[in-house]
């Protein structure tokens, strides 16, 4: 029964994503996160929808698409594309990041997370529940046997960076009631790579889709602070790698500054890189632009934390 379900999920993913987008490692599988459906239920009907640019929405079933390298190091990273919590950028952000990680022997797990505006009962908590569940499944050995539970990291872009930042900063937050033994495993990570992330939902840097989707058009300062990553950083936050561009019109560079300051205040290891040009959405780097080589700075950070 498990094989049949997995085959159906893989077939669906191939149908909407294309074989080339998924074939980033020696082996690719698609794993559902919740055995009996997500907490609270709800959500859209139909099937996962995809645009020509590789973004997806109408997430009926949250999943991990697992890309196994030919020579795994034992480390793994969960990857989340951005899209303002309205859609998820797989084609430009998550899948290229997975290819980059797999080339370094890191198992890459692309997270197709629930979008809060698609009718889920959990609302704003839905995507956080998904990444916490993914962390627990990976660390429990339920997804990929042989993954070191102490070398599981997070990698997120834009709103996906907000999501991964929240998970890294709040490992003890119980976003859902346990559904099986895997949920007894702490939702901890070994490090978080946040690429042009939306960190704060507080004014004056709150004119983002992330803020509107998570807390509405006119949230109180308390509501906005509760969903701002920097307000939750404590000593138990994982080490953080930050990168963005000075000319980013969506995730103002102050987001990087706020996260770095919060990490330093809590004595959390943090590394921040600001590109002079790059705008928003440069992914793993736009060929021929100043953002093309930013990933070179990430290699030593990964090595220092035992991922490679």
């Amino acid at each position: 029964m498990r094989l049949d379900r997995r085959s159906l999920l893989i077939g669906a993913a191939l149908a909407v994503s294309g074989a080339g987008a998924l074939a980033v490692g020696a082996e690719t599988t698609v794993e559902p996160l919740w055995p009996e459906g997500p907490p609270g239920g709800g959500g859209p009907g139909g099937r996962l929808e995809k645009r020509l640019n590789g973004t997806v929405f109408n997430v009926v079933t949250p999943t991990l698409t697992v890309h196994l390298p030919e020579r795994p190091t034992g480390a793994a990273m969960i990857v989340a594309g951005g899209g303002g919590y309205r859609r998820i950028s797989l084609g430009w952000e998550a899948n290229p990041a997975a290819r980059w990680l797999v080339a370094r022997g890191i198992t890459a797990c692309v997270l197709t997370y629930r979008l809060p505006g698609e009718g889920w009962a959990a609302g704003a908590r839905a995507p956080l529940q998904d990444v916490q569940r993914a962390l627990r499944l990976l660390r429990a050995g339920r997804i990929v046997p042989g993954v070191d539970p102490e070398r599981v990291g997070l990698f997120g872009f834009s709103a996906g960076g907000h999501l991964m930042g929240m998970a890294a900063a709040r490992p003890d937050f119980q976003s859902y009631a346990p559904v099986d033994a895997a949920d007894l495993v702490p939702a901890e990570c070994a490090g978080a790579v946040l690429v042009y992330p939306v960190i704060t939902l507080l004014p004056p840097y709150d004119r983002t889709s992330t803020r509107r989707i998570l807390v509405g058009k006119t949230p109180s300062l308390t509501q906005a602070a509760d969903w701002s990553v920097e307000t939750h950083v404590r000593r138990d936050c994982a080490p953080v790698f930050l990168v963005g561009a000075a000319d980013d019109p969506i995730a103002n560079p102050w987001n990087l500054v706020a996260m770095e300051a919060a990490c330093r205040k809590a004595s959390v290891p943090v590394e921040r890189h600001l590109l002079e040009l790059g705008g928003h959405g440069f992914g793993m780097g736009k060929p021929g632009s100043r953002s093309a080589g930013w990933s070179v700075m990430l290699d030593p950070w990964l090595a220092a934390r035992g991922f490679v």
Side-chain angles (χ1 to χ4, degrees), residues 1-298:
M1 186 69 178
R2 176 177 168 82
L3 290 175
D4 289 343
R5 188 180 185 188
R6 180 183 296 178
S7 297
L8 287 171
L9 285 165
I10 293 173
L14 287 170
V16 299
S17 298
L22 286 172
V24 299
E27 182 181 347
T28 302
T29 61
V30 180
E31 301 284 350
L33 297 177
W34 306 97
E36 303 298 331
R47 64 176 186 175
L48 184 72
E49 299 287 345
K50 185 191 177 188
R51 298 297 189 201
L52 292 176
N53 63 2
T55 60
V56 300
F57 60 98
N58 205 63
V59 179
V60 178
T61 303
T63 62
L64 274 182
T65 300
V66 181
H67 306 284
L68 298 175
E70 293 181 2
R71 297 180 181 178
T73 65
M77 296 201 86
I78 302 170
V79 186
Y85 286 108
R86 295 177 182 273
R87 60 192 70 83
I88 306 170
S89 175
L90 298 184
W92 175 248
E93 293 175 341
N95 285 338
R99 282 191 287 271
W100 189 90
L101 292 166
V102 165
R104 285 151 180 78
I106 300 172
T107 298
C109 304
V110 174
L111 180 65
T112 301
Y113 51 91
R114 285 173 288 160
L115 301 172
E118 293 187 339
W120 297 101
R125 287 193 179 192
L128 184 57
Q129 291 174 346
D130 290 343
V131 68
Q132 286 194 326
R133 175 68 174 173
L135 274 168
R136 291 179 171 126
L137 289 172
L138 273 172
R139 299 190 73 228
R142 294 283 191 91
I143 300 291
V144 184
V147 166
D148 183 346
E150 303 306 316
R151 291 195 292 153
V152 177
L154 303 174
F155 198 133
F157 299 83
S158 193
H162 176 272
L163 175 59
M164 296 313 201
M166 288 293 283
R170 307 189 72 183
D172 295 329
F173 178 64
Q174 296 295 316
S175 65
Y176 64 93
V179 299
D180 56 28
D183 287 325
L184 301 179
V185 177
E188 300 171 350
C189 68
V193 178
L194 310 181
V195 187
Y196 44 87
V198 175
I199 295 296
T200 191
L201 275 60
L202 289 164
Y205 306 105
D206 59 342
R207 297 184 178 183
T208 61
S209 173
T210 293
R211 189 267 292 163
R212 291 189 293 273
I213 291 294
L214 294 182
V215 295
K217 294 182 179 180
T218 56
S220 67
L221 289 178
T222 299
Q223 290 173 316
D226 193 44
W227 284 96
S228 294
V229 179
E230 79 277 13
T231 67
H232 297 289
V233 175
R234 303 291 185 271
R235 188 178 293 273
D236 59 353
C237 178
V240 175
F241 178 97
L242 298 163
V243 64
D247 61 341
D248 191 327
I250 295 175
N252 188 288
W254 192 88
N255 283 274
L256 305 181
V257 174
M259 188 63 179
E260 180 185 28
C263 288
R264 295 200 184 283
K265 183 178 179 180
S267 298
V268 172
V270 60
E271 185 172 315
R272 175 172 66 94
H273 298 275
L274 184 64
L275 308 179
E276 182 181 354
L277 296 173
H280 190 79
F282 52 78
M284 292 304 293
K286 295 180 180 178
S289 75
R290 295 192 184 185
S291 67
W294 79 260
S295 59
V296 173
M297 300 180 288
L298 181 56

